[in-house]
Amino acid sequence: MLSQSLPLLALAATALGFPDLPFKTSGSEILTSKDTPIKVAGTNWPGHNDVMVPEGLQYRSIKDIVSDLKSTGMNVVRLTYAIEMIDQLLDEDKSDLQSAFVDALGETEGMAVLRQLLANNPEFSATSSRLDVFDAIVEELNVQEIYVNLDNHISSGEWCCGANDGNTWWGDEHFDADKWVRGLAYMAEHGSSHPLRIPPQPTNTHQGKAWPNLMSMSLRNELREPSNNATLLETYNWQTWYKYMREGAQAVSDANPDPLIILSGLNYDTTLQPVVRGQPLTPGDEVFSFDDFSADKIVFELHNYDTRATNCADITGALYNGGAQAMVPDDETTVNAAPVLITEFGFAQTEYQGVYATCLADWMPDNTAGWMQWVVAGSYYLRSGTPDYDETWALYDHEWQSWRVPEYVEGIFSDSIAATLADNA
Ligand SMILES: *[C@@H]1O[C@H](CO)[C@@H](O)[C@H](O)[C@H]1NC(C)=O
């Protein structure tokens, strides 16, 4: 009985139009595998902090969290990870949850938090791997028809981002370019629905698992100027950016040709201006070309945290000039049209009626291909040395039980999701 009903269920899911991957781009639109334009809206679920395990599971089950997310109408989650997670797996054969929590939080606190996680999520054990947790989250998001945008947030597992955290730019203390490329390829392959292309490493017993709802992979979050390394600063420019973006994109598409590839800009991902305007990628004179990447896969991302702005036009103007004009092919200065996602914006939840929050909620549905709010996490296992850190910017309250400010999540936030997704088939 069961074996007969499963194919029928699969068929039903196909008919309903999820996931309809792989996506591709056409001008400023993202298209599904059925050539239908699609937009995405959702939130960020961090998995890149010190423990390098997606947050919140000491308080709730994966299924309950995803169900809450689904209740807002969202259709995407930006799931973040640190390259160090892959380094530990491949170089030290270390990925188990017990080490993850004890290394970050110490023996007593780490074991206590792990016990809470296992009580809420009994499908795992102390020897489960970090990737088992990522797999289970992706699987539940897939069951509830939510896409995954997998984001390499940082190299060393910790809170991001500062000018002297050693993760600013290729060659920084913790930002090894080769390990970054290896990590991108590893995750691309891990999420692939294709047969393995990268031979499994001898130390890696995790066989990988297809992520059917993997929409996109973001190459690197918030590139920025280092404040503590003059030598490194010499290479902080568009020319270097282009070299590594091509290398990272190639690594992803060689390992898995399906996901959209998301390119993030300079200055904490606030500008892609010369890329979009086809201006020289200085100090060289080469210009950006989609021909240097897999066909029809490139999407741009921008962040905005101009939370103190008192004028909406200042916020949207900065976004437009920073690269959101790629959504407007008719603008004569737009040379490289592409879909633009606002993959981070956020504010202390009590400020949800302010200019910043309401401005973006109104503007993003019509002027972007989608967006992801920062952040769902009501608290972090550990942030910047503080255990059980309370996140005042989060959709959730501290213990991930209820919305921190329900008036926001059930009001402006859900309304903006609905407006963004209104034209999806
Ligand atoms: C500064 O950057 C250079 C170039 O990447 C690197 O070789 C050097 O180790 C860095 N110095 C420090 C202190 O991180």
Side-chain angles (χ1 to χ4, degrees):
M1 200 48 209
L2 188 62
S3 62
Q4 282 181 349
S5 60
L6 281 175
L8 282 176
L9 280 174
L11 202 63
T14 308
L16 288 172
F18 184 90
D20 284 349
L21 289 173
F23 290 166
K24 63 184 179 212
T25 65
S26 172
S28 60
E29 286 184 325
I30 298 175
L31 302 180
T32 71
S33 59
K34 292 179 182 150
D35 282 339
T36 327
I38 185 165
K39 290 193 175 191
V40 292
T43 189
N44 279 267
W45 190 340
H48 70 275
N49 281 328
D50 308 65
V51 182
M52 293 181 272
V53 169
E55 303 287 344
L57 304 182
Q58 81 277 44
Y59 288 125
R60 292 291 290 289
S61 72
I62 289 172
K63 187 173 182 175
D64 286 354
I65 294 169
V66 174
S67 299
D68 284 348
L69 296 180
K70 185 70 183 177
S71 75
T72 66
M74 73 173 62
N75 71 345
V76 72
V77 162
R78 180 175 183 246
L79 190 56
T80 72
Y81 69 96
I83 293 295
E84 188 182 357
M85 172 174 75
I86 298 117
D87 298 343
Q88 286 192 6
L89 179 67
L90 299 181
D91 299 338
E92 302 171 43
D93 195 17
K94 187 159 82 171
S95 67
D96 64 287
L97 294 184
Q98 181 161 329
S99 305
F101 279 93
V102 168
D103 286 355
L105 290 165
E107 182 75 25
T108 308
E109 177 72 9
M111 289 306 290
V113 176
L114 176 59
R115 276 192 296 274
Q116 286 177 275
L117 180 149
L118 297 178
N120 281 301
N121 294 276
E123 69 270 36
F124 303 123
S125 71
T127 58
S128 297
S129 75
R130 290 177 170 116
L131 281 172
D132 290 335
V133 178
F134 279 82
D135 287 345
I137 288 177
V138 172
E139 190 173 324
E140 184 61 32
L141 289 168
N142 185 57
V143 166
Q144 302 206 37
E145 303 193 347
I146 295 175
Y147 292 105
V148 172
N149 171 25
L150 184 67
D151 166 66
N152 172 227
H153 208 70
I154 193 167
S155 287
S156 52
E158 60 183 299
W159 178 253
C160 190
C161 301
N164 61 1
D165 63 8
N167 285 278
T168 61
W169 190 250
W170 295 276
D172 206 348
E173 189 180 353
H174 303 300
F175 192 167
D176 181 278
D178 292 339
K179 287 181 175 168
W180 171 72
V181 170
R182 179 180 71 167
L184 289 176
Y186 188 90
M187 294 307 287
E189 186 281 321
H190 182 81
S192 177
S193 55
H194 294 266
L196 289 177
R197 290 170 187 230
I198 300 173
Q201 302 289 324
T203 53
N204 171 24
T205 52
H206 191 102
Q207 284 308 301
K209 189 171 178 181
W211 290 5
N213 50 338
L214 178 61
M215 169 188 97
S216 53
M217 286 185 62
S218 177
L219 298 184
R220 186 68 171 198
N221 174 67
E222 296 197 358
L223 296 156
R224 55 200 178 271
E225 268 189 17
S227 63
N228 58 350
N229 188 330
T231 313
L232 185 60
L233 193 54
E234 286 170 18
T235 63
Y236 179 80
N237 56 49
W238 288 109
Q239 186 177 0
T240 307
W241 177 89
Y242 202 41
K243 164 179 146 60
Y244 285 114
M245 284 292 155
R246 279 181 297 191
E247 216 174 294
Q250 189 70 47
V252 168
S253 54
D254 283 352
N256 182 350
D258 287 345
L260 297 173
I261 293 176
I262 305 188
L263 307 186
S264 117
L266 296 194
N267 195 19
Y268 296 84
D269 194 19
T270 56
T271 181
L272 281 158
Q273 191 180 85
V275 174
V276 173
R277 294 190 180 169
Q279 294 162 342
L281 300 171
T282 53
D285 51 17
E286 195 177 4
V287 294
F288 181 89
S289 168
F290 291 115
D291 294 342
D292 289 331
F293 298 90
S294 293
D296 307 328
K297 288 292 183 187
I298 297 299
V299 169
F300 298 142
E301 66 178 317
L302 289 171
H303 291 179
N304 183 283
Y305 284 110
D306 196 4
T307 56
R308 291 183 193 166
T310 51
N311 181 349
C312 182
D314 292 345
I315 301 168
T316 61
L319 278 165
Y320 190 87
N321 290 324
Q325 72 169 85
M327 292 291 298
V328 186
D330 291 345
D331 183 324
E332 63 183 16
T333 63
T334 301
V335 172
N336 293 307
V340 177
L341 299 172
I342 309 300
T343 51
E344 285 190 28
F345 69 97
F347 47 87
Q349 288 285 291
T350 48
E351 294 167 12
Y352 76 100
Q353 290 169 305
V355 170
Y356 173 79
T358 53
C359 171
L360 286 177
D362 285 345
W363 180 81
M364 291 188 300
D366 292 330
N367 295 285
T368 70
W371 51 268
M372 292 137 232
Q373 175 267 0
W374 185 273
V375 61
V376 67
S379 51
Y380 304 103
Y381 303 122
L382 182 70
R383 167 172 157 179
S384 310
T386 304
D388 200 25
Y389 184 105
D390 187 53
E391 176 55 275
T392 57
W393 289 32
L395 298 182
Y396 266 132
D397 62 13
H398 186 92
E399 301 194 334
W400 296 58
Q401 302 298 320
S402 316
W403 303 132
R404 189 168 284 258
V405 177
E407 297 80 1
Y408 169 63
V409 179
E410 290 160 9
I412 294 170
F413 182 73
S414 296
D415 292 349
S416 189
I417 291 173
T420 305
L421 308 187
D423 294 332
N424 286 355

